[in-house]
Amino acid sequence: MDVLVTGRLPDDVLALIQKEHSVEINLHDRPMDRERIISGITDKAGILCMITDRIDREVLDKAHHLKIISNFGVGFDNIDVQAATERGIPVTNTPDILTDTTADLTFALILASGRRVVEGDKYTRAGKFKYWAPLLFLGHEVTGKTLGIVGMGRIGRAVAKRASGFDMKVIYTKRKRLGKSEEKALNIEYVNFETLLKESDFVSLHVPLLPETRNLIGENELKLMKSSSFLINTSRGPVVNESDLVNALKNKTIKGAGLDVYENEPELTPGLIELDNVVLLPHMGSGTVETRKKMALMAAENLLSGLNGKTPPNCLNCDKLAN
Ligand code: DGY
């Protein structure tokens, strides 16, 4: 069968797909052109797509033979799952395997923003480090501080575990509160959103992008945060209103931020790059050699299983598809 793969995969994983199917692949490091996806999908039985591809009704209307949509990523806000379900097409993602990797990067951002790691690096490279001084590059302690986690799913929990190694108090908010025994095991305390914003030294976002989480953090929420606090986002960019964040960072409404994702990715809101109190990364939360390999393999296995007419593992809508 014919398959569309919209981004590069490790050779051995690609070979696994090519063993059974004929593959049209985008070998560039930039996303496949939307027009190419729309024209390419017409005769394809499967698509292994990237989180940067918008697989919406316009694309699906051209997909006359599609049996499976396999997303390379855990977040699937790029896919209109409802539209795929209406057409009887299974959609899969790559959960679990990137949880620790993304939690590690979240902590890297907490430490980098709190301890001014990037500013210090720039200063040293610029040849400005002439002598040690007691007040040089003072950051903010991470150990013992309060971490507020918004969204206590897999990644939120993995971040909470790491925080315990830093003796942090962890408070969280979530649509559906966890059970008491789980809260106790993770040593976390449930609070409402407003309390979390007011009490946290670091606010870390771990919610999926949904209509109700779009711009969850804007001017009002930033105003509730302490002027000494930091905002960390490794979830999805549009969860934060980026212009409001730029204003808050400029006006010192909050102390700083660490971002791996952007509202109009890969574009940055004007003003963001001029600011020293924000650490900016290129959406690399799951970006380790080990994890990206596992993601590629999982996405390929999901794809192959759908092409073979089986219920694919990690299916997001199989329970809603007619048998
Ligand atoms: C995901 O999987 O959703 C990440 O954002 C990309 O690795």
Side-chain angles (χ1 to χ4, degrees), residues 68 90 92 301-302 304-319 321 323:
I68 175 79
T92 61
E301 282 167 354
N302 289 339
L304 291 174
S305 151
L307 290 171
N308 291 334
K310 298 194 190 131
T311 300
N314 314 302
C315 185
L316 296 162
N317 60 344
C318 284
D319 55 332
L321 299 175
N323 293 320

Side-chain angles (χ1 to χ4, degrees), residues 51 72-76 94 98 234-236 261 283 285-286 292 295:
I51 55 164
F72 188 121
V74 68
F76 51 88
T94 61
L98 47 70
T234 55
S235 63
R236 282 292 182 264
V261 288
H283 199 152
S286 65
R292 285 287 162 83
M295 288 168 72

Side-chain angles (χ1 to χ4, degrees), residues 225-241:
M225 289 172 65
K226 298 186 205 178
S227 57
S228 57
S229 69
F230 295 84
L231 178 72
I232 308 297
N233 191 9
T234 55
S235 63
R236 282 292 182 264
V239 173
V240 176
N241 181 315

Side-chain angles (χ1 to χ4, degrees), residues 202-231:
F202 294 86
V203 172
S204 191
L205 305 174
H206 300 285
V207 290
L209 179 61
L210 299 168
E212 57 273 29
T213 58
R214 189 174 285 275
N215 280 198
L216 184 70
I217 302 287
E219 188 184 355
N220 294 336
E221 291 71 28
L222 290 159
K223 276 192 186 144
L224 288 174
M225 289 172 65
K226 298 186 205 178
S227 57
S228 57
S229 69
F230 295 84
L231 178 72

Side-chain angles (χ1 to χ4, degrees), residues 182-195:
E182 219 172 343
E183 286 183 353
K184 197 164 165 229
L186 286 165
N187 197 16
I188 57 179
E189 186 189 316
Y190 177 84
V191 294
N192 64 37
F193 187 38
E194 189 173 325
T195 306

Side-chain angles (χ1 to χ4, degrees), residues 51 72-75 94 96-106 155 234-236 260-261 281-296:
I51 55 164
F72 188 121
V74 68
T94 61
D96 298 322
I97 45 179
L98 47 70
T99 299
D100 286 322
T101 319
T102 308
D104 286 350
L105 193 91
T106 302
I155 297 174
T234 55
S235 63
R236 282 292 182 264
D260 186 41
V261 288
L281 299 180
H283 199 152
M284 54 191 239
S286 65
T288 63
V289 175
E290 297 88 343
T291 291
R292 285 287 162 83
K293 176 107 200 245
K294 285 186 207 158
M295 288 168 72

